[in-house]
Amino acid sequence: SGALPAWATRGLAASTAALAPSLVGKVFDMVQKLPAAGVAVLMVEQRARQALQISQQGYILDQGRCVLQGPAHGLLADERMAQLYLGNH
């Protein structure tokens, strides 16, 4: 039927904003392993650079609007992303 199994459609809603820095890396390590287990991950994260480093695709929001999107490696190299996060917009 092409439908994903129930375990592959579960979402992950977690932010690392309130975590101790020592735990942030552990969370990212665990999230990075999920696709290999057949689990799609949609991450909403304030640590954009770190999230993009483990992602295939990214969407950058500014004031609720999608201002950049594309392959994660391209977004990491995009000067506009740096400007958004440095407040130069």
Side-chain angles (χ1 to χ4, degrees):
S1 71
L4 292 173
W7 58 266
T9 60
R10 295 196 178 120
L12 173 66
S15 172
T16 61
L19 292 179
S22 61
L23 295 177
V24 172
K26 291 179 183 179
V27 170
F28 275 92
D29 287 343
M30 288 188 291
V31 169
Q32 187 174 11
K33 294 174 184 174
L34 292 174
V39 178
V41 177
L42 172 64
M43 220 175 160
V44 179
E45 179 57 49
Q46 292 180 353
R47 290 177 167 89
R49 290 188 188 282
Q50 195 170 0
L52 287 169
Q53 289 172 348
I54 65 168
S55 301
Q56 294 176 350
Q57 186 76 14
Y59 299 86
I60 306 298
L61 304 179
D62 183 39
Q63 298 180 8
R65 291 183 28 234
C66 183
V67 294
L68 295 171
Q69 66 181 29
H73 61 85
L75 291 174
L76 284 167
D78 193 319
E79 289 183 23
R80 295 173 295 173
M81 190 178 93
Q83 290 173 348
L84 283 169
Y85 284 94
L86 294 174
N88 297 330
H89 64 289

